[in-house]
Amino acid sequence: MKAGFEMVHGTTLDTIQPHESWNSYPTVGFQNPISIPFPKPPVTENRCVNLDRNELSEWVEHITKQLIDDLPESTAAAAASPADAAFHTATTSSDDNNFHQSIPGGELRPKKMLRSYLETDGDDESVQWNNNNEIFQNGRDGTGLGLSKVDEHGLSLITLLLECAVAISVDNLGEARRMLLELSQLASPYAESCGERVVAYFAKAMSSRVINSWLGISSPFLNHRTVHSTFQLFNNISPFIKFAHFTSNQAILEAFHRRDRVHIVDLDIMQGLQWPALFHILATRIEGPPHVRLTGLGTSMEILMETGKQLSNFAKRLGISFEFQPIASKFGDIDVSAFQLRRGETLAVHWLQHSLYDATGPDWKTIRLLEELAPRIVTVVEQDVSKGGSFLDRFVGALHYYSTVFDSLGAYLGSEDPSRHRVEHCLVYKEINNILAIGGPARSGEDKFRHWRSEIGKRFLQVPMSANSMAQAQLILNMFPPAHGYSLVQGDGVLRLGWKETSLYTASAWTSCTSNIVPRYSC
């Protein structure tokens, strides 16, 4: 197995351009079970076993809870229960909690005690604190975190950001504009503090939200080539994308066992980085490789054709009979006939979710089309952040989630590292902006599922992620030094990868009751 995968890192892929990032994939195999002991309950972490909790994310959680507690008395009673539900959803990713903001419009704002005012004296740029400084000096248990002035500055900006979010949520756009102007002058995306970097990008996204609210329109623009190349860079400096690819590939491989004609539908293929590793394993099967048909959906026919050409060349070198069908459309906007389903093919659908843009169209149409396709396996890798609900609901969840993402990047790369800034600016910020700003006050007018796993679970049967999938994910994490703090958890039939105690990505697999399935997947 090792020798076979050396070919993936060697001459086979060296000649494929422009997908140099295909060479960056680890030599992780699929065909043989890997013996790794799993404790009970089935939770396995990488070698980071004695790490403190993510400090930035913890303080975001603490201050957000205080914001909820400090809402004006006239609205606190009405908002208390749903707000607590929203906060719990944002920090624990539990399903079926809804936060519907009931604060009326007007000049309502959180109590002054919430905000850590920033005061400067003349040209002195040092930050002066009011009595609320003790929040940052002492933890919940009163032991204190010993935060530096740099960290205190970032955390103080977060409290101002939270107050601004409440102003936006009650349509007090004038006050929100004033606070956003202040934040834009105080927060830099190049700062040493992760907290300050988070605030800089959130403030920029919220400024777009305010403009959209005034104008009632939104004109999002994405350079998809830049996004795709940055996605490759993110794959090189973080385990999250590799985790998504290899755990899904393992589930698909198991569903394709002894099948001689297989069809994969990738709901957002980008540049197809996931599939070379799977192709290589299929090519080495004892019974020989199957005929592989891959339908890739995307935003640009030109990019899709380039991706198809690269994958076709790779499959040809491996001796795999391969067809590629590009569809430049959103999954939920097309008919089942577009996939040209063939009798005797085993169908797999894969979806690596992200928040960069709407890749699939209306959620209800997407789930309906999945039902019509009736695939033997559906693999979903979902970000543990809610994209639905009210503005304040999305803000709380996104702030907690992306504070953790920024912390994970900051632990791996220095504050001046160009790769880190590019990922934060071209990828992470775009996701934040899409969650908070795109679509204006009414978003797209479509209801978004809070958690896809709960929705797909109503219509499909869950296929537990196997021990081999866990082994693949563990090998991915072993590529990263133990001090980085990535954690891997297996439970409820899914795999979760996160940063310390915060889950960021969840991988799950599902099967349709109406598909032609073997007994292990039977309904």
Side-chain angles (χ1 to χ4, degrees):
M1 180 174 68
K2 181 178 180 181
F5 267 90
E6 286 175 352
M7 181 176 66
V8 176
H9 286 272
T11 57
T12 300
L13 287 181
D14 288 341
T15 58
I16 297 181
Q17 303 292 335
H19 293 286
E20 296 87 354
S21 59
W22 284 1
N23 294 329
S24 67
Y25 275 93
T27 58
V28 180
F30 297 88
Q31 64 266 45
N32 297 320
I34 301 175
S35 178
I36 292 182
F38 297 98
K40 294 183 179 182
V43 174
T44 298
E45 293 187 345
N46 65 339
R47 291 169 291 176
C48 316
V49 293
N50 293 313
L51 295 174
D52 294 330
R53 187 177 177 187
N54 170 4
E55 290 183 358
L56 176 58
S57 180
E58 180 178 4
W59 283 111
V60 166
E61 177 181 338
H62 178 78
I63 300 170
T64 306
K65 185 64 169 66
Q66 183 176 350
L67 176 144
I68 293 170
D69 292 341
D70 289 342
L71 286 174
E73 294 180 1
S74 60
T75 59
S81 178
D84 288 341
F87 180 74
H88 181 71
T89 300
T91 56
T92 65
S93 299
S94 61
D95 294 339
D96 301 325
N97 285 319
N98 293 306
F99 180 22
H100 301 289
Q101 188 63 19
S102 57
I103 304 176
E107 297 297 320
L108 298 175
R109 296 175 56 189
K111 295 177 182 177
K112 293 276 187 171
M113 63 173 290
L114 167 71
R115 181 178 171 191
S116 294
Y117 287 95
L118 302 177
E119 300 176 357
T120 58
D121 182 13
D123 294 332
D124 183 4
E125 295 296 328
S126 62
V127 179
Q128 306 297 323
W129 296 90
N130 65 1
N131 292 334
N132 204 34
N133 186 29
E134 63 181 323
I135 293 176
F136 305 105
Q137 297 295 345
N138 298 293
R140 296 176 190 177
D141 57 0
T143 58
L145 290 177
L147 297 176
S148 68
K149 283 296 182 182
V150 171
D151 291 328
E152 289 179 349
H153 177 62
L155 292 171
S156 73
L157 293 176
I158 288 176
T159 61
L160 178 59
L161 185 76
L162 288 162
E163 187 176 353
C164 180
V166 172
I168 293 176
S169 72
V170 298
D171 290 329
N172 188 354
L173 302 184
E175 182 65 16
R177 176 184 175 277
R178 185 191 65 76
M179 286 186 280
L180 287 169
L181 179 60
E182 184 178 354
L183 287 168
S184 68
Q185 296 171 341
L186 294 170
S188 168
Y190 297 96
E192 179 182 348
S193 163
C194 284
E196 185 174 340
R197 295 167 85 110
V198 167
V199 169
Y201 286 117
F202 266 78
K204 184 177 180 181
M206 289 162 66
S207 295
S208 297
R209 168 74 187 202
V210 170
I211 293 173
N212 295 342
S213 298
W214 258 317
L215 299 179
I217 60 173
S218 174
S219 300
F221 172 77
L222 278 178
N223 184 319
H224 286 277
R225 288 191 180 275
T226 299
V227 167
H228 293 176
S229 63
T230 307
F231 206 74
Q232 295 179 18
L233 180 59
F234 187 44
N235 174 67
N236 294 335
I237 65 177
S238 167
F240 296 122
I241 307 305
K242 290 184 177 71
F243 164 81
H245 289 175
F246 280 92
T247 55
S248 298
N249 279 356
Q250 179 64 40
I252 293 171
L253 181 71
E254 293 169 4
F256 284 173
H257 182 60
R258 297 188 180 279
R259 300 303 175 105
D260 57 5
R261 300 188 67 83
V262 299
H263 182 190
I264 303 168
V265 174
D266 190 333
L267 303 195
D268 189 19
I269 194 170
M270 292 191 178
Q271 291 180 313
L273 298 178
Q274 174 167 351
W275 305 117
L278 180 63
F279 287 4
H280 180 82
I281 296 300
L282 292 174
T284 60
R285 295 196 317 183
I286 295 177
E287 65 270 27
H291 173 82
V292 179
R293 188 156 66 100
L294 177 59
T295 298
L297 288 86
T299 57
S300 164
M301 182 58 73
E302 180 184 0
I303 295 177
L304 287 171
M305 294 300 292
E306 291 176 4
T307 297
K309 181 178 180 180
Q310 300 298 334
L311 290 173
S312 296
N313 290 338
F314 184 78
K316 183 178 181 180
R317 289 189 174 96
L318 295 177
I320 293 179
S321 174
F322 177 73
E323 295 178 62
F324 182 77
Q325 177 187 5
I327 300 179
S329 180
K330 295 180 180 180
F331 182 75
D333 292 341
I334 55 180
D335 186 79
V336 67
S337 62
F339 297 95
Q340 303 174 18
L341 300 181
R342 302 172 186 172
R343 185 178 299 275
E345 282 186 335
T346 300
L347 179 64
V349 176
H350 172 68
W351 187 12
L352 169 55
Q353 295 187 14
H354 55 72
S355 303
L356 288 165
Y357 48 82
D358 178 10
T360 60
D363 284 358
W364 68 272
K365 289 185 178 180
T366 297
I367 200 76
R368 185 180 65 182
L369 185 54
L370 284 175
E371 289 184 283
E372 292 176 352
L373 286 174
R376 183 163 184 262
I377 192 77
V378 180
T379 54
V380 179
V381 181
E382 181 179 9
Q383 290 178 308
D384 286 328
V385 58
S386 175
K387 305 176 185 68
S390 68
F391 168 79
L392 196 56
D393 188 9
R394 298 195 308 276
F395 171 85
V396 170
L399 183 60
H400 180 73
Y401 183 89
Y402 289 104
S403 294
T404 306
V405 172
F406 273 79
D407 265 341
S408 69
L409 292 172
Y412 187 69
L413 301 170
S415 60
E416 299 181 358
D417 189 283
S419 296
R420 175 184 173 187
H421 180 71
R422 183 179 176 190
V423 168
E424 290 176 348
H425 182 74
C426 298
L427 205 67
V428 183
Y429 163 67
K430 293 292 192 287
E431 292 197 344
I432 295 169
N433 189 61
N434 186 47
I435 292 174
L436 298 185
I438 300 303
R443 301 284 284 172
S444 63
E446 299 283 351
D447 290 333
K448 308 296 289 183
F449 293 158
R450 293 181 62 87
H451 295 284
W452 261 90
R453 276 177 287 117
S454 63
E455 294 299 328
I456 201 172
K458 298 174 184 177
R459 301 160 177 86
F460 290 78
L461 290 180
Q462 186 173 1
V463 179
M465 301 298 281
S466 68
N468 281 348
S469 294
M470 181 69 174
Q472 306 305 320
Q474 187 62 53
L475 290 177
I476 294 294
L477 291 197
N478 289 343
M479 299 172 60
F480 290 81
H484 290 160
Y486 297 105
S487 58
L488 180 63
V489 175
Q490 184 180 37
D492 301 325
V494 305
L495 292 178
R496 293 181 175 88
L497 179 61
W499 175 253
K500 300 186 180 178
E501 294 185 9
T502 302
S503 174
L504 296 177
Y505 286 83
T506 299
S508 60
W510 309 83
T511 189
S512 170
C513 290
T514 59
S515 63
N516 184 19
I517 49 182
V518 295
R520 67 172 296 211
Y521 296 137
S522 60
C523 300

